[in-house]
Amino acid sequence: MKNVLKILALATVGLGLIVAFLLTFRAGAPPALHIESLPAIGVRSTVVITASASGRGLSSVSLELVQGDRTQVIEERSYPTRPPWAFWGERTEHDEIRAEVGREAVPDLQPGEVVLRAIGRREPTWLLQPDPVIREITIPVRLVPPELSVLSIQ
């Protein structure tokens, strides 16, 4: 009888250590981010971000437009994730975000260059707070159409 109680106590302690390890160190997998490259941003431009994460799923994804010292959040989405102890349940593994980044969406956009920054965050645990994944691309802003002229060779 004592041996059975010792084995049961040892199994309970082992299970408790496994649960404590999961609650402490099972943060979400780092998301994979891809920003579809644009030749330039004009009056109306659409950017597409593709985000995916396995494991506990995506936590949040945001798109920022940076020009000079101004940073503007264009779009931000949050998703339900699995708790650290669960290997089943609702989660979002993949999402595609389409956002307008042209002059109509960002009225104070100036000619020059902008940085489009995609930020993917993963779900933390109570002890482990992982850094976000950041992808950036630099794109020129062209708000004036190119000049067209007729060339004649006579």
Side-chain angles (χ1 to χ4, degrees):
M1 183 70 165
K2 287 185 177 183
N3 286 339
V4 173
L5 288 176
K6 285 181 183 179
I7 292 173
L8 187 60
L10 188 60
T12 303
V13 168
L15 185 62
L17 288 174
I18 290 171
V19 169
F21 179 80
L22 286 176
L23 291 174
T24 304
F25 296 109
R26 189 172 178 246
L33 298 173
H34 175 73
I35 304 173
E36 184 180 301
S37 183
L38 300 171
I41 293 177
V43 177
R44 273 191 220 147
S45 298
T46 303
V47 66
V48 179
I49 299 174
T50 306
S52 60
S54 60
R56 294 175 63 192
L58 292 169
S59 174
S60 70
V61 177
S62 61
L63 173 66
E64 295 178 349
L65 186 138
V66 180
Q67 189 173 37
D69 59 349
R70 291 176 327 187
T71 300
Q72 181 173 351
V73 176
I74 303 296
E75 186 154 347
E76 189 166 12
R77 293 187 187 173
S78 295
Y79 311 95
T81 58
R82 291 179 180 166
W85 62 85
F87 292 96
W88 61 91
E90 183 181 352
R91 66 181 172 165
T92 303
E93 290 188 50
H94 180 81
D95 195 13
E96 184 176 279
I97 299 173
R98 292 181 176 277
E100 294 292 324
V101 293
R103 182 73 176 255
E104 290 182 356
V106 184
D108 50 340
L109 192 63
Q110 300 296 320
E113 288 189 339
V114 298
V115 174
L116 290 177
R117 181 182 300 151
I119 303 171
R121 291 175 184 80
R122 49 189 174 153
E123 192 65 21
T125 63
W126 67 277
L127 185 61
L128 186 62
Q129 306 290 323
D131 293 331
V133 174
I134 299 173
R135 296 285 179 263
E136 294 181 341
I137 61 171
T138 303
I139 300 176
V141 176
R142 296 189 184 124
L143 301 175
V144 178
E147 282 188 28
L148 296 177
S149 60
V150 178
L151 295 178
S152 175
I153 305 175
Q154 289 186 353

